[in-house]
Amino acid sequence: MQNPMPAFPLPLRSGDTEPVINLQELFTEIYDIASYDLKIDYRNWEVIPALSEADTIWANAWLRDRQLRD
């Protein structure tokens, strides 16, 4: 994703302090812990539905920068 996922306050019961949930941080941590970069072959992936031309260029560059694609 080109833009980070938003953080948001999690509504709880009245009077409780609402914790801020950082979606980007959670996603990144789960991705790293699960070692998805080792489980997913990013060299031969097809996105359904297809990305726009601009998003395809961005995704390919992002993957190459991380040595996940040739």
Side-chain angles (χ1 to χ4, degrees), residues 1 4 6-7 17-19 21 24 27 29-30 39-40 47 49 55 57 62-64 66:
M1 294 176 43
T17 303
E18 295 180 347
I21 306 300
Q24 186 64 54
F27 179 84
E29 187 174 334
I30 291 167
K39 296 176 183 174
I40 299 172
V47 178
D55 287 342
I57 292 168
W62 190 91
L63 290 167
R64 280 191 204 99
R66 286 152 183 82

Side-chain angles (χ1 to χ4, degrees), residues 6-10 17-23 26:
F8 64 92
L10 181 63
T17 303
E18 295 180 347
V20 175
I21 306 300
N22 185 328
L23 288 178
L26 286 172

Side-chain angles (χ1 to χ4, degrees), residues 1-2 28 31-32 37-38 42 58-70:
M1 294 176 43
Q2 293 185 47
T28 300
Y31 185 91
D32 291 344
D37 58 327
L38 302 176
Y42 289 101
W58 174 85
N60 285 332
W62 190 91
L63 290 167
R64 280 191 204 99
D65 287 347
R66 286 152 183 82
Q67 300 178 342
L68 296 170
R69 179 173 279 185
D70 301 328

Side-chain angles (χ1 to χ4, degrees), residues 10-19:
L10 181 63
L12 300 174
R13 291 183 291 193
S14 179
D16 286 346
T17 303
E18 295 180 347

